[in-house]
Amino acid sequence: MSRLDVTETFHSITFPGHLHTQDSLNYATNFKFQDTDTVIVTYPKSGTTWMQEILSLVLSKGDPTIAQTQPNWARAPWLEQYYSPDVLNASKGPRIITTHLPYRLLAPALKQSKAKVIYVARNLKDVSVSYYHFHNVAKFLPDQGTFSEFLNAFLEGSVHYGSWFDHVKGWTSHSKDIQNFLYVTYEEMWQDLHGALQKVSRFLQCPLTEDELIRAQKHCSFNSMKENAMVNYTLIPQEIMDHSKGKFMRKGKVGDWKNIFTEEQSFLVDDVYSSQMADSSLKFLWECPAEI
Ligand code: A3P
């Protein structure tokens, strides 16, 4: 499947036609979840790949064999992407499923099961920068223009996968409607990866010894993942991702937005954030504490 210039619009949200079709999106929204499924839900660039690696390593009790031999999309496929039926039908379970879909599109299917949902959120300034850079690399994403133009589209929610605000608020404000829900932030994984691994292992009811935790932690550190071809996307051919334009495992930092945002852009985001998030109690870490 190529369709690099195709955009699919589904329930008013745009998706890259390279990976999505109307059929694949309908398949996702009508999916029959199993109670044993674990679903990673994220807005793009919020730590999806990191959580896929964390789950693989928790379930294998720190053994990196699967993480180092199976691409992340084969062990934790995106439900809405066209290849997922093949991967899921072949899976012997328990299944790890990934999705970027907003709550309103997936909730009807999900609410009928006891599947475990892990929602990973990241502060939107870092998400916007990471997403902007990813548009340079991923040839299936549209031309993003200048950072300023991209930021306006991002705040408006007109980028692919829709609005960060709708996504984060949609999932977190309905967390009580989902039987098994865990909220984790990118920033907490970054500040305390060991603690985040423990939190995930408790949620999955998959206890790890201290040695297993330390082993898992080693293999899902930024430096390990950066070298792991199964998660750093270097397996994707050049005509789909232009690796000369940047790396998927780019910086892996909290507060990198400070290197690209102007003061004016930061104020603009603060303004939009306070009005859009007025009805939410979520708190984000915006910069690396050592630099505060
Ligand atoms: P940056 O572009 O800021 O470096 P996603 O998987 O949702 O697309 O998110 C990608 C972002 O997560 C990238 O952010 C990537 O570097 C970061 N990331 C992936 N694994 C990480 C890890 N182990 N530690 C810190 N950041 C990680």
Side-chain angles (χ1 to χ4, degrees):
M1 185 186 226
S2 219
R3 306 202 323 147
L4 294 175
D5 295 328
V6 178
T7 292
E8 288 291 352
T9 304
F10 187 74
H11 292 263
S12 312
I13 299 180
T14 58
F15 295 88
H18 168 59
L19 294 161
H20 306 82
T21 62
Q22 292 296 316
D23 281 352
S24 76
L25 291 156
N26 273 311
Y27 169 83
T29 53
N30 292 300
F31 189 67
K32 219 166 164 15
F33 287 94
Q34 296 172 4
D35 291 349
T36 48
D37 290 338
T38 302
V39 191
I40 300 170
V41 185
T42 57
Y43 186 84
K45 314 317 289 177
S46 301
T48 324
T49 316
W50 199 0
M51 185 52 79
Q52 289 171 326
E53 199 75 333
I54 288 175
L55 279 194
S56 298
L57 288 160
V58 166
L59 293 172
S60 70
K61 305 215 171 220
D63 177 348
T65 310
I66 289 177
Q68 290 175 352
T69 52
Q70 265 188 36
N72 58 328
W73 60 86
R75 54 185 141 103
W78 273 260
L79 185 60
E80 58 274 19
Q81 298 184 354
Y82 73 95
Y83 57 81
S84 79
D86 290 344
V87 178
L88 293 172
N89 291 337
S91 166
K92 295 191 189 84
R95 307 184 298 191
I96 304 175
I97 298 169
T98 306
T99 184
H100 287 322
L101 290 180
Y103 179 78
R104 70 180 164 93
L105 294 186
L106 206 56
L110 200 51
K111 274 198 213 158
Q112 294 169 22
S113 83
K114 294 194 182 84
K116 294 187 172 68
V117 174
I118 301 181
Y119 189 83
V120 187
R122 183 182 192 186
N123 86 60
L124 99 163
K125 288 183 180 174
D126 282 332
V127 170
S128 67
V129 171
S130 179
Y131 205 7
Y132 175 71
H133 284 291
F134 191 54
H135 275 69
N136 277 330
V137 177
K139 293 190 169 177
F140 50 85
L141 291 174
D143 182 4
Q144 81 284 22
T146 63
F147 178 67
S148 192
E149 287 163 347
F150 177 79
L151 187 61
N152 287 332
F154 179 82
L155 291 173
E156 230 173 64
S158 57
V159 292
H160 279 356
Y161 302 99
S163 154
W164 179 93
F165 297 105
D166 290 350
H167 204 280
V168 173
K169 286 198 296 181
W171 280 100
T172 56
S173 66
H174 289 96
S175 57
K176 291 198 175 59
D177 301 334
I178 297 170
Q179 304 201 29
N180 291 303
F181 185 89
L182 181 71
Y183 175 74
V184 186
T185 63
Y186 176 99
E187 292 77 18
E188 78 179 274
M189 306 198 293
W190 187 83
Q191 279 192 300
D192 178 12
L193 183 52
H194 190 268
L197 280 157
Q198 282 177 312
K199 189 169 169 178
V200 169
S201 89
R202 272 196 303 272
F203 180 67
L204 297 182
Q205 295 171 315
C206 179
L208 268 64
T209 64
E210 186 56 23
D211 281 355
E212 289 166 345
L213 273 172
I214 289 170
R215 205 160 169 227
Q217 181 173 352
K218 177 174 155 223
H219 292 290
C220 60
S221 69
F222 183 78
N223 287 338
S224 293
M225 286 179 60
K226 200 175 159 81
E227 300 306 323
N228 182 357
M230 299 300 133
V231 285
N232 66 15
Y233 288 89
T234 51
L235 293 178
I236 303 292
Q238 189 73 13
E239 58 272 23
I240 307 225
M241 278 176 73
D242 186 347
H243 303 288
S244 69
K245 297 257 176 72
K247 292 190 171 13
F248 177 87
M249 298 290 299
R250 194 182 59 92
K251 285 203 176 169
K253 292 254 156 58
V254 173
D256 181 49
W257 60 270
K258 292 169 97 189
N259 295 315
I260 180 164
F261 269 60
T262 62
E263 210 176 328
E264 211 180 1
Q265 286 164 345
S266 183
F267 285 141
L268 167 71
V269 171
D270 292 345
D271 254 16
V272 178
Y273 184 89
S274 5
S275 77
Q276 290 268 5
M277 298 298 276
D279 53 350
S280 164
S281 58
L282 295 182
K283 295 268 177 282
F284 285 95
L285 181 72
W286 297 95
E287 51 195 293
C288 164
E291 288 171 15
I292 293 173

